[in-house]
Amino acid sequence: MGVKGLSDRGRQLLLDFPPLAALREHDRKGIDEIIGLVEGCAAYKRDVALPMALDIDEQMEKEPEYFNWDMMREACKYNIFSLAIPKAVGGLADKYMISGMALAVEELCSACGGIGLALAAHSLGVAPVIASGAMAHWDTVLHEIVEEEKRGNPVLMAYGITEPSAGTDVEEPEFLEVGKIGMEAKKTKGGYVLNGRKCFISGGSEAKYFTVTAATDRSRPLETWTTFLVERDMEGFSTPRVELKMGQRACHAAELLFEDVFVPDSHVLGYEGDGMANGILIIMAASRGPVGAIANGIARGAYEHFLAWTRERRNGKRPIDEDRIRMSLADMLGIIQENRGLYINHSLVGDAVFRSAFTHPIFLSAFLIPRSIRASKPYAALLNSYYGKAFVNILFRYFIKDDEVTDMLAKASLAKFNCADNAMELTSRALELMGTDDSVERRWVEKAFRDAKLTQIYEGTNQLNRLVVYNTEIARTLKVEVPGPFKKGVS
Amino acid sequence: MIKLPEFSEDQEYRILRETAAAYAAKELGPQAEQLDLDPARWRIKEAIAKAEDLGMLAALIPEDYGGGGLDDYAFCVALEEIAVEEAGIAAVLLAHNAALLPAAMGEFKALITGVGPDAFPVCLAFPGEVSFADGKVKGRVPFALNAQECSLITLLPGGGGGTQALTVRGDAAGVEINAEPYQMGLRAARAGSIRLEDAEASNVISGGDMAGEVQRVLMLGLASIATGISRNALQKAYAYARERYQGGKMIIEHQQMRIFLAEMLAAVEQGRALVKKACEDGGLAPAMVAWLRATERACKSATDGVQVHGGYGYMRDYGMERLMRDAKYCQMYPMTSQEALLRLLEISETG
């Protein structure tokens, strides 16, 4: 395979992901970049995450407001906050945007689900700025993230979808149509006034920028669902509460409160009313695979600690010397590789979709304009004008086609619920085999068990994800009318 | 509300069930979250002191010796009702009563009268590798319930077929108790690991198969606690499903939610039936089967219960995720399910 010059982790990665090794024969440079990324995350895991994960988890129970900034500052050294930001703006996202993200996330979450989530939730917050083609903010907000990261300052983003009375309802078009939506954005002169609450927002209490969904008319949420870019220092915005979670505690789940927050027109991402079709659905299509990777990272972490436990000698015996334990280890490895297959499937589909956009000459030509101009106000105004928006919209719809997004969404949702269920099964079983042994490894596996449960819930419950798989891939194979995620609410 | 499975029970059990439920609702329900989050000693003592009226402080000791005089089934009924509110406290009482069990079996009756309420709850140091010679105890117990700050420890040397039980004072020389660094479930029963270096036994009790009997009672009790957890999950999830609107209807109208809830109902039925049979049979094998099945179902009930609640289920103040942690510990203690299965076949082979 020509693995000369690769580190042990790099070699292992190619063994773990055969498709990657095959791709590498065609595109050594591109794949080696990904390998580099994962090697960086492996170093972060070893040097930063593993030494502090248990302490953070315990600290959060005593003090739910506590947040460990060190883990975020350290992450800057490994460019983890640039993962989702396109190369054109100085980030790392290139030909293998989703695969790179997924592999990095698995590596991080194999150290700690909570730390991994804190780092990954930022990229989820970034995603709507990219997927909506809101290029007016690329050279300001995204550039700031990249530049500050170089200086070791984490500038974070968070994505706010969930509301107190709408969780599943805001993740799926049919449900949104009948949902009881609380977040409202009333049109006013020069912008919108936002009122309402979002809850359980990962990374919400630390982020500087937020991408938030709201309806401009709450009685017609699907047709008027819109994505806004909100800044922490906007008048009337606050994050009054963080939850005490069962697991993944290193990352806060925060409440976002909007009290007459004025958001200018320039901060509408995409168009008013396309917050579902060109917002949430594309984001979910891009991110549910990496959420599968979060689950698999948690499972893999549990497996690594369980394996270490089986080799500890107690009363003269080692669990690993028993056949039943060896067979269980094989089961666990099987689960982990199965999960990988699923999310890599999705990632490669996603890569292809985004690659067609971000490596396209027309798209790249926009970045031949000097950055000083691109970051200027008049240029942003031009992009935010009717014609500017129309141009970007046509460009992006041309690159990112609805049926491709449907494909991505199907694979992503399938990977998400399977990986989550499998992670739950693996961690649960590992504990069942360990019993109440007084080993530090048990604590790690218990934490993984608590961490894993959340992966069945966020990014759409597993039940919703199953319905999405039916509504996309299965409905298409049956040639039945797909409930119109891409027919409704698209401007 | 949901109608729970009916079992024909004698009047005395029915009354005990109601009394235990009333105690749990009054004394434990309101502070369940605190008992889990911050299981400080005085609260535990305070909570279980009130269980005396149920006869739960010396439940399995005959009344002639000042005990509660409950039979196995009555004990299980009370534990299930208590676990519906707070499984941790149910575990405290189970371990405590299992620790006193040798007094009921052996020749030694003073154990009960000799330790006042100050010694409650008694720590159960089982299972572990413990040896006893010349009045001194040596060994290690990886996970003992009620270990933290305990004043009395019951030990069972000789593992699975010990005919002896010992008590050691918690503050005796040679006893080292290390608090469980981070206990995930059943947190009220503050666990720890115990090291013994020539610690002096304060009582030695001889009788029948003490270790086997303690194991049997533990498994019956844990099966009942697990059934209580399934009930709690069912109650909470059912109530929530009727008030949460999602997807254009109350989520109780969604088929998948109804299936989750029905599974919980089946878990309660299964748990109760197996416990009842195991109590009637009196052997270790049926108690093991009850424990294996009831704890497995409780883990599922609790996990699905969290799922029904969605994001809210994952947050501590909804009291739902606690059930997941508690149920898992019911399944992990006193042995692993595979060890239990291997043992089950061993005791069921006839030659």
Side-chain angles (χ1 to χ4, degrees):
Chain A
M1 275 194 308
V3 290
K4 271 204 193 74
L6 285 180
S7 68
D8 287 351
R9 183 67 194 104
R11 281 197 202 123
Q12 186 59 46
L13 192 66
L14 293 179
L15 288 172
D16 288 346
F17 295 88
L20 219 55
L23 280 173
R24 190 168 177 264
E25 294 185 14
H26 301 282
D27 180 8
R28 178 164 294 208
K29 184 172 159 297
I31 296 300
D32 281 359
E33 268 179 29
I34 302 269
I35 293 174
L37 209 65
V38 174
E39 285 168 342
C41 291
Y44 177 88
K45 170 183 174 176
R46 187 190 60 228
D47 301 337
V48 184
L50 284 177
M52 54 169 76
L54 288 181
D55 291 342
I56 293 176
D57 178 70
E58 205 172 334
Q59 184 63 27
M60 299 299 271
E61 185 168 290
K62 298 186 187 108
E63 208 190 325
E65 305 276 334
Y66 169 80
F67 186 77
N68 186 306
W69 278 100
D70 287 345
M71 69 185 186
M72 304 309 267
R73 277 190 286 271
E74 287 294 320
C76 290
K77 294 178 192 161
Y78 305 90
N79 306 109
I80 289 167
F81 302 118
S82 305
L83 281 176
I85 297 175
K87 254 202 170 141
V89 206
L92 298 175
D94 195 19
K95 285 190 276 188
Y96 304 100
M97 184 170 176
I98 314 259
S99 303
M101 175 67 73
L103 294 170
V105 158
E106 181 188 315
E107 196 66 31
L108 295 168
C109 289
S110 71
C112 168
I115 295 175
L117 176 68
L119 300 170
H122 158 79
S123 288
L124 183 68
V126 168
V129 181
I130 294 162
S132 63
M135 286 159 78
H137 302 287
W138 287 23
D139 284 294
T140 50
V141 174
L142 301 189
H143 185 73
E144 180 191 347
I145 293 169
V146 172
E147 287 304 303
E148 288 298 315
E149 183 179 62
K150 287 177 189 157
R151 297 193 195 101
N153 298 325
V155 172
L156 306 175
M157 292 193 70
Y159 192 19
I161 312 178
T162 302
E163 305 186 1
S165 59
T168 302
D169 281 356
V170 286
E171 296 260 350
E172 213 270 342
E174 284 180 293
F175 285 13
L176 180 58
E177 210 166 17
V178 293
K180 291 178 178 168
I181 300 306
M183 267 297 282
E184 187 161 49
K186 274 240 174 301
K187 186 75 191 99
T188 181
K189 190 172 177 298
Y192 295 81
V193 176
L194 271 57
N195 272 296
R197 284 168 194 273
K198 295 283 179 183
C199 64
F200 311 148
I201 306 307
S202 294
S205 29
E206 292 76 43
K208 181 177 176 184
Y209 297 104
F210 298 82
T211 39
V212 179
T213 50
T216 54
D217 177 354
R218 284 194 308 165
S219 63
R220 296 182 304 124
L222 180 59
E223 289 85 23
T224 68
W225 203 234
T226 309
T227 313
F228 295 90
L229 177 66
V230 175
E231 304 184 18
R232 176 172 289 278
D233 53 12
M234 284 177 171
E235 190 79 26
F237 173 79
S238 60
T239 51
R241 177 190 159 92
V242 294
E243 304 288 342
L244 178 44
K245 295 193 286 182
M246 178 189 190
Q248 296 195 22
R249 290 183 188 151
C251 177
H252 281 169
E255 181 183 20
L256 315 183
L257 177 61
F258 298 82
E259 296 169 304
D260 291 336
V261 178
F262 175 77
V263 179
D265 283 332
S266 60
H267 281 46
V268 174
L269 302 179
Y271 284 94
E272 182 180 324
D274 73 351
M276 177 53 82
N278 293 328
I280 290 175
L281 288 176
I282 294 182
I283 308 304
M284 292 301 130
S287 64
R288 275 180 187 159
V291 169
I294 289 181
N296 203 39
I298 292 168
R300 194 182 108 202
Y303 168 80
E304 286 166 2
H305 289 289
F306 177 73
L307 181 62
W309 172 83
T310 63
R311 301 175 69 196
E312 288 172 12
R313 200 169 284 281
R314 322 224 138 216
N315 311 321
K317 293 200 299 269
R318 298 190 314 162
I320 200 167
D321 295 331
E322 297 187 57
D323 273 350
R324 63 185 178 93
I325 299 290
R326 292 178 177 185
M327 289 182 188
S328 295
L329 284 167
D331 278 340
M332 290 177 192
L333 189 65
I335 283 178
I336 291 166
Q337 297 200 354
E338 211 174 282
N339 282 350
R340 261 198 206 122
L342 282 166
Y343 82 69
I344 274 294
N345 236 354
H346 154 263
S347 301
L348 294 173
V349 172
D351 287 342
V353 174
F354 284 107
R355 186 158 53 226
S356 62
F358 295 138
T359 58
H360 199 285
I362 299 180
F363 169 82
L364 291 173
S365 65
F367 293 90
L368 295 173
I369 301 164
R371 224 197 68 77
S372 56
I373 295 174
R374 296 200 320 258
S376 69
K377 279 207 162 69
Y379 185 77
L382 179 72
L383 282 175
N384 274 322
S385 69
Y386 175 79
Y387 294 106
K389 273 205 172 184
F391 172 73
V392 170
N393 193 43
I394 290 164
L395 198 68
F396 269 73
R397 290 320 125 226
Y398 169 75
F399 291 138
I400 300 173
K401 295 191 169 58
D402 283 354
D403 59 344
E404 289 179 338
V405 175
T406 308
D407 263 355
M408 251 168 94
L409 187 61
K411 295 275 183 291
S413 306
L414 192 77
K416 189 271 184 190
F417 79 76
N418 271 295
C419 289
D421 284 351
N422 283 338
M424 205 58 227
E425 188 189 328
L426 186 151
T427 52
S428 181
R429 193 145 147 211
L431 281 181
E432 205 179 317
L433 291 163
M434 288 167 114
T436 46
D437 197 358
D438 61 337
S439 155
V440 70
E441 304 299 354
R442 193 196 86 218
R443 265 188 82 188
W444 282 102
V445 179
E446 280 178 357
K447 186 170 94 55
F449 168 79
R450 289 185 283 113
D451 288 351
K453 180 61 200 170
L454 187 51
T455 62
Q456 293 183 314
I457 299 169
Y458 59 24
E459 289 257 337
T461 61
N462 277 10
Q463 288 64 40
L464 172 86
N465 275 274
R466 286 177 169 91
L467 282 179
V468 170
V469 171
Y470 173 81
N471 285 338
T472 50
E473 198 155 329
I474 297 172
R476 198 185 48 208
T477 53
L478 297 173
K479 298 203 167 41
V480 296
E481 183 66 19
V482 178
F486 307 103
K487 300 184 182 65
K488 286 179 192 161
V490 188
S491 7
Chain B
M1 215 29 242
I2 295 262
K3 186 168 154 295
L4 288 171
E6 291 272 346
F7 283 86
S8 57
E9 277 174 357
D10 289 350
Q11 185 68 6
E12 57 179 300
Y13 297 127
R14 209 169 279 277
I15 292 168
L16 179 67
R17 204 179 265 290
E18 283 163 15
T19 323
Y23 152 79
K26 183 169 176 283
E27 302 297 334
L28 309 179
Q31 52 169 338
E33 194 188 341
Q34 276 310 308
L35 286 167
D36 170 72
L37 194 57
D38 179 24
R41 191 109 191 126
W42 63 269
R43 277 213 210 83
I44 307 290
K45 274 196 189 299
E46 196 180 69
I48 70 164
K50 308 242 166 79
E52 193 166 15
D53 301 343
L54 300 169
M56 285 297 278
L57 290 190
L60 302 167
I61 307 289
E63 281 182 50
D64 303 353
Y65 301 114
L70 301 186
D71 61 16
D72 289 348
Y73 187 63
F75 183 54
C76 287
V77 163
L79 283 177
E80 184 195 316
E81 295 301 327
I82 292 167
V84 170
E85 294 290 350
E86 222 293 291
I89 293 290
V92 171
L93 292 166
L94 170 61
H96 165 80
N97 280 299
L100 294 181
L101 196 59
M105 293 180 63
E107 309 136 8
F108 186 85
K109 312 295 186 206
L111 180 62
I112 303 310
T113 45
V115 283
D118 290 350
F120 293 167
V122 176
C123 163
L124 177 68
F126 176 83
E129 297 286 321
V130 183
S131 62
F132 176 61
D134 310 326
K136 303 277 186 196
V137 198
K138 261 197 175 65
R140 191 180 141 272
V141 180
F143 187 89
L145 292 172
N146 302 342
Q148 292 177 40
E149 300 164 40
C150 67
S151 45
L152 194 70
I153 307 169
T154 298
L155 293 140
L156 297 134
T163 56
Q164 266 186 328
L166 321 163
T167 61
V168 172
R169 296 193 58 80
D171 56 9
V175 176
E176 188 196 329
I177 301 175
N178 284 307
E180 177 64 37
Y182 188 86
Q183 194 174 334
M184 180 174 76
L186 303 177
R187 295 175 79 166
R190 302 155 77 213
S193 60
I194 302 178
R195 250 177 208 298
L196 301 133
E197 285 295 335
D198 291 334
E200 195 174 334
S202 45
N203 289 306
V204 182
I205 310 161
S206 305
D209 175 9
M210 296 224 176
E213 186 58 8
V214 165
Q215 197 176 79
R216 186 184 71 85
V217 167
L218 270 183
M219 291 198 152
L220 277 178
L222 286 164
S224 299
I225 292 172
T227 306
I229 292 173
S230 283
R231 264 176 66 188
N232 193 353
L234 173 62
Q235 283 173 5
K236 282 193 164 77
Y238 184 74
Y240 182 81
R242 291 180 60 191
E243 63 184 40
R244 175 76 169 174
Y245 173 92
Q246 215 68 188
K249 50 193 172 188
M250 291 301 173
I251 64 172
I252 188 76
E253 303 301 329
H254 288 278
Q255 277 180 334
Q256 183 55 57
M257 296 299 117
R258 298 185 72 77
I259 290 167
F260 280 148
L261 294 166
E263 283 277 11
M264 293 173 204
L265 188 65
V268 177
E269 171 105 33
Q270 186 182 13
R272 281 190 174 180
L274 288 170
V275 165
K276 193 161 191 263
K277 179 186 177 294
C279 288
E280 283 161 10
D281 285 7
L284 179 56
M288 268 187 170
V289 174
W291 173 79
L292 278 164
R293 292 293 169 257
T295 55
E296 180 194 39
R297 301 310 297 175
C299 287
K300 180 172 164 51
S301 300
T303 308
D304 291 349
V306 170
Q307 198 66 16
V308 171
H309 282 73
Y312 291 102
Y314 199 72
M315 308 306 164
R316 287 192 82 141
D317 46 5
Y318 264 73
M320 204 53 232
E321 56 83 44
R322 187 183 85 235
L323 307 192
M324 247 180 92
R325 293 182 284 109
D326 288 346
K328 199 68 203 167
Y329 265 36
C330 292
Q331 192 193 28
M332 287 158 65
Y333 178 83
M335 59 176 68
T336 71
S337 49
Q338 284 192 348
E339 283 164 349
L341 287 166
L342 292 169
R343 183 97 180 85
L344 174 66
L345 196 66
E346 205 176 290
I347 58 180
S348 306
E349 285 172 315
T350 53

